[in-house]
Amino acid sequence: MPTVGVGDLTGGDFLLDVREDEEWQAGHAEGALHIPMSEFVSRYGELTEAAPQDGKVNVICRVGGRSAQVATYLLQQGIDAVNVDGGMQSWQAAGRPVIDDKGQPGAVI
């Protein structure tokens, strides 16, 4: 499974958050696309519309388990996908901004 560290991501990288709604609402990375893992297959078209055609899809969840499963699925579909090592917990620990669903400072739950 290809992985990327939070420190290797830049502001222009495409980020797919696969956590559930309540996790997203509490805190997420600004600009990330949110498609919960539980809805991923039925909402797959949203990803293909939003993802860069020749770019990488960086998949993130809370700690890395769910995102690894989704990244594996995407690789099987021929999409260049990587798992973000440590997930949103590592994102927050690295001092990266986390916002809630109202655009205010958020928290990873």
Side-chain angles (χ1 to χ4, degrees), residues 7 11 16 18 20 24 31 37 42-45 51 62-63 68 73-74 76 79 85 89 93 99 101 104-106 108:
L16 170 64
V18 297
E20 295 304 313
W24 169 266
M37 182 177 166
S42 65
R43 294 177 57 188
Y44 179 75
R62 184 170 180 259
V63 295
Y73 174 80
L74 291 174
Q76 293 169 346
I79 293 176
D85 190 36
Q89 285 187 334
I99 59 170
D101 61 342
Q104 300 300 312
V108 176

Side-chain angles (χ1 to χ4, degrees), residues 43-89:
R43 294 177 57 188
Y44 179 75
E46 293 177 41
L47 172 67
T48 58
E49 288 178 18
Q53 294 298 83
D54 295 324
K56 189 177 303 287
V57 175
N58 300 283
V59 189
I60 197 165
C61 66
R62 184 170 180 259
V63 295
R66 289 172 284 178
S67 53
Q69 292 177 52
V70 172
T72 297
Y73 174 80
L74 291 174
L75 288 166
Q76 293 169 346
Q77 306 309 309
I79 293 176
D80 186 10
V82 296
N83 185 32
V84 178
D85 190 36
M88 285 299 297
Q89 285 187 334

